[in-house]
Amino acid sequence: LVLLVLLSPTSLPAQAWSGIVSPSRAIDWSTAGVSGGIPSGSWTTCTTTACNLLSSASNVTAANINSAISSAPAHSVILLPSGTFSMSTGLVWDHVSYVALRGQGANTTILKFSAGNSCGGTPADVCVQSSDSNYNYGPTNTANWTANYSPGTTSITLDSVTNLQVGWPIVLDQTDDTSDSGDIYICLTSGTCSYAGTGGASRTGRAQSQMVNVTSISGTGPYTIGITPGIYMPNWTSSKTPQAWWATGPVFEDGIENLTLDHTSSNPPNGISFWNCSGCWFTNSRNIMGDTGASETNVRIFDSNRVSVTNNYFYQTAPTATVQYGVEPFLTSDSLIQNNIFERVSAPVPVN
């Protein structure tokens, strides 16, 4: 009887930090990653002519996979057969959403790259990118965030909604502190409070950022914008000129799963690059980088949110590369990087 009691599950606090960290200083990460979980298990198999062509191993080429990606309907999976296949160029989801590429297993379907693509400025062998090159040094759309800054708020006010749609991600940011008040201190001035400066992840002088998704848009200006999740930090304030910026054509819920990506011949700076993507994923797979040249980062999450990188094996980066990263969150919020193995990777998850 005592043993049964000991083996019985016990109730746990709602949050692991309950009673340790003040709720006003804690964040609930239980919904991080693709909202609702990776959805491809319930998607249909793509049966377009281009997708069906890939059922034969002799037809598995980069050009044919890219054609399948372009032709696949929303919420469908492109299936690849078993085998080792040479990729003469990179794979690209170019403003394509809700399409997954699935192999037969990480030890069974192997794509070996000899070249990649520019991927909007973050060169990679596998690229998931928006229709515009929206990024921190050149935002496509900007607006002033004029009201509602309290932690947890899910409704903010913007003075412009040009090219903004419900469901789309936006980046919220504000100017850095000019001095240390003794409370929260946000500063990336090289030589003053930072060794390396901004590092390129945030807009210059606007280090504090949070990506959220728009749930509603109302008004004729100023506009009331519903967002999810709510505001995290308690130091958002009108005195620091808070703003929002966003892509005109982001992509959503694209994924790569159950295969191996081998970059040892192509030596790209990035194996996979997610650019302006919300809810994308890389899972149940293996990624092998080259040991020479510019092979720096296995997966770069660039201006993207709710990305899931789970249950993968990552092998090496080039010792001659400027940096050697596993998964690089390069301006992201609410992403989930979990249950991955990193071997011969100097910095598995450096958070920018």
Side-chain angles (χ1 to χ4, degrees):
L1 181 61
V2 172
L3 180 61
L4 289 175
V5 170
L6 291 175
L7 292 177
S8 297
T10 57
S11 59
L12 297 173
Q15 301 299 331
W17 42 258
S18 179
I20 301 172
V21 178
S22 168
S24 66
R25 299 180 58 238
I27 294 174
D28 176 9
W29 294 120
S30 64
T31 59
V34 182
S35 183
I38 293 173
S40 56
S42 63
W43 289 359
T44 59
T45 300
C46 175
T47 57
T48 66
T49 300
C51 289
N52 288 338
L53 193 66
L54 297 173
S55 62
S56 172
S58 61
N59 293 326
V60 181
T61 65
N64 287 342
I65 295 175
N66 284 332
S67 293
I69 293 171
S70 298
S71 73
H75 307 109
S76 66
V77 177
I78 300 168
L79 296 179
L80 297 179
S82 301
T84 299
F85 308 103
S86 298
M87 301 286 105
S88 60
T89 188
L91 305 182
V92 58
W93 280 250
D94 191 3
H95 195 212
V96 172
S97 294
Y98 308 108
V99 172
L101 181 68
R102 179 187 299 161
Q104 300 302 308
N107 292 324
T108 306
T109 301
I110 301 171
L111 307 184
K112 295 177 68 69
F113 292 86
S114 58
N117 54 74
S118 63
C119 197
T122 58
D125 283 348
V126 178
C127 172
V128 182
Q129 65 179 2
S130 60
S131 63
D132 57 342
S133 59
N134 175 73
Y135 76 123
N136 49 304
Y137 288 145
T140 305
N141 307 281
T142 59
N144 292 311
W145 173 11
T146 59
N148 301 347
Y149 312 110
S150 299
T153 187
T154 56
S155 178
I156 63 174
T157 303
L158 300 181
D159 67 355
S160 174
V161 292
T162 302
N163 298 320
L164 186 61
Q165 296 183 25
V166 171
W168 285 16
I170 61 175
V171 181
L172 305 175
D173 64 15
Q174 67 181 6
T175 57
D176 296 345
D177 293 309
T178 57
S179 62
D180 186 353
S181 68
D183 197 354
I184 297 172
Y185 181 34
I186 305 294
C187 170
L188 279 180
T189 303
S190 182
T192 299
C193 58
S194 171
Y195 176 76
T198 64
S202 59
R203 291 203 290 170
T204 301
R206 307 179 74 89
Q208 181 169 313
S209 307
Q210 183 182 345
M211 295 189 72
V212 296
N213 288 81
V214 174
T215 60
S216 63
I217 302 173
S218 61
T220 57
Y223 303 89
T224 300
I225 310 297
I227 59 172
T228 185
I231 301 304
Y232 288 143
M233 294 287 282
N235 63 328
W236 294 101
T237 173
S238 59
S239 65
K240 295 180 183 177
T241 320
Q243 292 184 331
W245 52 279
W246 59 89
T248 294
V251 289
F252 302 88
E253 294 190 8
D254 291 322
I256 303 101
E257 54 194 51
N258 300 3
L259 45 69
T260 283
L261 304 175
D262 186 335
H263 313 280
T264 53
S265 295
S266 54
N267 289 309
N270 305 286
I272 305 167
S273 182
F274 294 108
W275 183 311
N276 290 315
C277 182
S278 184
C280 287
W281 67 88
F282 180 63
T283 189
N284 298 329
S285 294
R286 175 173 55 174
N287 194 75
I288 305 172
M289 298 295 286
D291 61 356
T292 60
S295 292
E296 296 183 348
T297 304
N298 282 259
V299 178
R300 172 175 277 201
I301 305 173
F302 193 86
D303 291 359
S304 301
N305 70 333
R306 293 197 170 279
V307 174
S308 291
V309 181
T310 57
N311 312 322
N312 301 298
Y313 172 70
F314 295 102
Y315 183 73
Q316 87 178 354
T317 50
T320 55
T322 304
V323 294
Q324 299 92 37
Y325 295 156
V327 179
E328 182 184 16
F330 204 87
L331 208 169
T332 181
S333 291
D334 300 289
S335 287
L336 179 66
I337 302 166
Q338 185 179 63
N339 197 37
N340 301 291
I341 296 172
F342 299 88
E343 185 174 355
R344 296 188 67 183
V345 176
S346 298
V349 187
V351 180
N352 269 304

